[in-house]
Amino acid sequence: MAQATTTAVERTAGPPAEPSGLSTDPAAATPSAGHTFRTDINGLRAVAVLAVVIYHAGISIPGGFTGVDIFYVISGYLISSLLLREVDRSGTVDLVQFWTRRMRRLVPALALVVVVTLVACLLILSPLVWGRLAWHAASAMLFVSNLLFPYQGQNYFSDSVIPSPYLHTWSLGIEEQFYIFWPLLILLAVAVARRTRVPARRMLQILFAGTFVVSLAASVWLTAAAPDWAFYILPTRAWEFAGAALVATLPWGRLAERSRLRPVLLRALLGTAGFALLALSFAFVLETDPFPGTVALLPVGGTLLVLTAGSIPASGTWVDRVLDLPVMQRLGDVSYSWYLWHWPFVVLTTAAVQDDAIWIKVLASLGALGAAFATYHWVENPIRFSAAMKSWRRTAAVTLVIGLAVGALAVGVRVATAAVLEREPYATAAKIGAEPESYGCTEVTQLPSGSDVCLLGDVDADTTVLLLGDSHAMQWIPAFDAAASDAGLRLAVRWRHGCPAAEVNVYQPKERGSCSDFQAESVSVVEELQPDAVVVSQAQIYSDRMEHADGTGMTDEEVRATWASANDELFAHLTSVTPNVVAVRDNPQLDMDPLECLTRPWSGLGDCSMSLAEAEESNGDLPRISAEIWSKYGVTTWDGVWSQTCDEQTCSVGDIQDPVYRDYHHLSADYVLTQVPSVERMLQAAVLGTSSGNIG
């Protein structure tokens, strides 16, 4: 998730591997200019990492993920200032030395975290996920996880049952890619400046401004067109670095002198305005907002104002005092390591104890802080300041060895995983988890409107039951097919993955297309088919995926109102076509991957079950709203999985021989087939019109 990969301003404790900081007026730097340590930048880094860690701990700070944007701006400012000074001094950039410093700064701590995390995954998590996480580890080490995750469809904000402990490394990928391309662009701009006889700094300002405009436009466009890719890739984030680089080219000292305000007052005003924008971004930027896009202007603008304030030669403002606090300076020192460690600590701790309570995540984050201090003092600094590592050849050789070692470990884990998954119970669990997301039709009939309808059961029967819904309808098809055959009923099935029967807008990957066509066509199918009974089975887990027609997210209040309105319209229509309507009470959404949990060597049944109270609350407000609509129209409800797996205290997920679920919210085909007698009784009662209220 968000990260702290900016090149730290070196402290004076040891010979710096690069300039120890920035001058107070970077644009005016000359070959003889000294570089003072910017405590405000170090403190700002602490603000950023605290925002990210607090956000990941589950504490109420909605926009804490924007801490990554703060780091990007800091990095753009520091790196561009460093390169500008080098251009002013020598007229060029030493790419080898620049990249050597970056490797020495980033690779050792990252390699340690990647390896320790992968070993911890092998000890804590099931072999079912080892192979996938090994690839994540390798991609993190290669700084390309920001390309792997959107390719795999991993949304940054998704409520994955066990999110990848490497998910946060996406931001290191963007950072490292920036380090590769940025000095090359600067060298190109300098070369063009020489040929056109335009001052180098003016040409660089044109470059930075142009990058800002083009990248921001791309960010706005792609955030709407492909939000996952927009979030993860450098072209849609480059404007954040470029804006900081443009600020670094301006002579703020001289500009402050021309201002009618006293420097200390100007510094205080800019710093206060910057902090205000950061506070607004933490408090009001939501996961559902189209991000980065224009929304990211809030944290980026706030950070730029604070950096600009710190470039004005004055001191003593309240912002300076806050950022100069010893605790802020210590946290700024270890921000990179703390960022690296905190997410694996949170993910693996909550997975190990099967509890994601805030206090557990807070303790995990504090444990990660201890690991960060140890890494900073025993890994980061010794390698960064090592005289033996000054040579770029030695640094490159060590980096190559580290990369090969991590790569060999990842490949070894993949090979070992393949062998383990051939053994029981892992082979069965892997097979269940890979069950198809669709089932074939006995016959397909075309209605006069041209709509195709899948037929199962006794396709020649005179009595027709329609099963309507999303993948939570699909999961019941094997049992409904067998039950309909036994009962002499024709079963018509209409479902689409990720699309509820009720007409609400939900986010769908572009390759699946919009749900609106499916939902509208379902209404005409019901009218044309005139079934003797309709069974509706739709997931109740759409709260985080519902959106407005323009693609913007909904507030909690809007979600509730929209769900109520859409379901009211749906069941009003269905009951006008046939009085025999049954709604399947949706199964609980688990807070863990049941197969992964059941195949941990040390995991027992009690660890994988959930309390009845947690099960009833697992899908939020939507089940309650749905139940009110069902009651309003006299719709019969069928308990489905609840009456079979839940008692007065807990809801079971079964055991590895007979698992109830194939993932955190879909039932396994084997379990569904055990419910054929119950389904048959429900269908017979539905078509006879003898059912009312709740069917257990």
Side-chain angles (χ1 to χ4, degrees), residues 62-63 65 157 281-291 295 554-555:
F65 63 91
F157 300 111
S281 68
F282 296 155
F284 296 109
V285 175
L286 304 176
E287 296 176 354
T288 53
D289 289 333
F291 199 89
V295 179
M554 292 185 177
T555 65

Side-chain angles (χ1 to χ4, degrees), residues 516-691:
S516 59
D517 292 340
F518 162 79
Q519 293 163 337
E521 189 177 359
S522 294
V523 173
S524 64
V525 166
V526 172
E527 293 174 347
E528 288 187 87
L529 195 62
Q530 291 289 307
D532 298 278
V534 178
V535 180
V536 178
S537 178
Q538 58 183 353
Q540 306 284 306
I541 60 175
Y542 291 105
S543 295
D544 296 333
R545 294 178 54 198
M546 290 172 61
E547 58 186 22
H548 295 289
D550 62 0
T552 58
M554 292 185 177
T555 65
D556 291 343
E557 183 177 350
E558 289 173 330
V559 164
R560 290 190 290 267
T562 302
W563 186 258
S565 175
N567 277 273
D568 188 284
E569 183 177 343
L570 170 67
F571 285 96
H573 179 72
L574 293 178
T575 53
S576 71
V577 175
T578 174
N580 303 325
V581 179
V582 177
V584 178
R585 185 184 179 193
D586 193 33
N587 49 267
Q589 175 179 322
L590 306 177
D591 58 0
M592 45 71 189
D593 182 333
L595 296 176
E596 190 278 332
C597 181
L598 290 169
T599 52
R600 295 179 189 175
W602 47 266
S603 180
L605 179 59
D607 296 324
C608 300
S609 299
M610 64 190 308
S611 72
L612 179 61
E614 290 174 331
E616 290 176 337
E617 296 175 359
S618 63
N619 294 342
D621 292 325
L622 301 193
R624 173 186 56 79
I625 296 171
S626 296
E628 292 173 356
I629 301 298
W630 301 338
S631 177
K632 176 180 177 180
Y633 291 99
V635 172
T636 300
T637 60
W638 180 55
D639 265 351
V641 68
W642 290 83
S643 59
Q644 302 296 318
T645 63
C646 299
D647 56 28
E648 295 180 354
Q649 294 182 328
T650 62
C651 288
S652 171
V653 298
D655 55 39
I656 194 55
Q657 284 73 38
D658 299 295
V660 175
Y661 292 83
R662 67 177 171 87
D663 60 31
Y664 75 102
H665 68 106
H666 287 112
L667 304 174
S668 72
D670 287 345
Y671 170 77
V672 165
L673 286 172
T674 66
Q675 302 304 302
V676 170
S678 177
V679 173
E680 184 175 352
R681 290 192 297 271
M682 180 267 290
L683 293 179
Q684 289 176 328
V687 297
L688 293 174
T690 59
S691 60

Side-chain angles (χ1 to χ4, degrees), residues 145-465:
S145 61
N146 66 311
L147 304 179
L148 176 65
F149 291 132
Y151 175 77
Q152 293 182 335
Q154 175 65 69
N155 183 281
Y156 175 81
F157 300 111
S158 70
D159 294 325
S160 300
V161 177
I162 301 180
S164 171
Y166 297 105
L167 185 58
H168 65 317
T169 62
W170 69 272
S171 50
L172 282 85
I174 288 182
E175 189 97 16
E176 186 64 22
Q177 291 152 25
F178 163 73
Y179 292 152
I180 292 173
F181 293 111
W182 203 239
L184 294 175
L185 285 176
I186 288 178
L187 279 178
L188 177 62
V190 170
V192 172
R194 287 191 185 127
R195 295 181 67 89
T196 59
R197 297 188 179 182
V198 174
R201 189 165 293 267
R202 179 62 56 82
M203 184 61 69
L204 289 171
Q205 288 172 336
I206 294 172
L207 168 67
F208 298 155
T211 302
F212 181 92
V213 172
V214 172
S215 174
L216 179 57
S219 181
V220 173
W221 171 75
L222 199 60
T223 296
D228 284 351
W229 283 99
F231 189 90
Y232 283 115
I233 61 175
L234 176 61
T236 54
R237 299 280 188 163
W239 64 274
E240 303 182 25
F241 299 98
L246 186 60
V247 168
T249 66
L250 300 176
W252 294 106
R254 292 197 295 272
L255 292 175
E257 291 175 0
R258 298 174 185 174
S259 171
R260 296 182 179 181
L261 299 175
R262 290 184 298 115
V264 67
L265 179 58
L266 182 59
R267 179 169 176 139
L269 290 174
L270 292 175
T272 300
F275 257 53
L277 290 181
L278 292 179
L280 289 174
S281 68
F282 296 155
F284 296 109
V285 175
L286 304 176
E287 296 176 354
T288 53
D289 289 333
F291 199 89
T294 55
V295 179
L297 285 167
L298 200 59
V300 170
T303 308
L304 290 176
L305 287 174
V306 175
L307 290 175
T308 300
S311 301
I312 295 173
S315 61
T317 70
W318 73 270
V319 173
D320 296 323
R321 289 191 290 272
V322 169
L323 296 178
D324 287 352
L325 289 172
V327 65
M328 300 296 283
Q329 293 301 303
R330 300 292 83 74
L331 291 178
D333 289 342
V334 301
S335 59
Y336 176 52
S337 286
W338 195 16
Y339 178 78
L340 287 177
W341 283 114
H342 87 282
W343 186 239
F345 264 71
V346 168
V347 170
L348 295 177
T349 300
T350 55
V353 302
Q354 288 297 341
D355 192 340
D356 64 350
I358 290 178
W359 70 270
I360 291 176
K361 291 189 283 191
V362 169
L363 289 179
S365 300
L366 292 176
L369 180 59
F373 274 106
T375 302
Y376 176 74
H377 289 292
W378 297 339
V379 177
E380 280 192 63
N381 276 351
I383 294 177
R384 284 165 65 192
F385 300 142
S386 170
M389 295 294 291
K390 291 290 186 181
S391 166
W392 72 265
R393 292 182 177 85
R394 188 165 298 175
T395 297
V398 170
T399 301
L400 179 62
V401 169
I402 290 175
L404 291 175
V406 175
L409 175 62
V411 172
V413 170
R414 292 280 298 186
V415 172
T417 300
V420 170
L421 292 182
E422 293 180 354
R423 302 179 180 181
E424 295 296 344
Y426 308 115
T428 297
K431 180 180 178 181
I432 292 172
E435 286 176 357
E437 294 190 350
S438 183
Y439 298 95
C441 305
T442 302
E443 182 179 310
V444 176
T445 185
Q446 190 174 70
L447 299 176
S449 65
S451 299
D452 291 334
V453 177
C454 175
L455 297 180
L456 294 164
D458 184 353
V459 296
D460 296 321
D462 295 327
T463 304
T464 300
V465 176

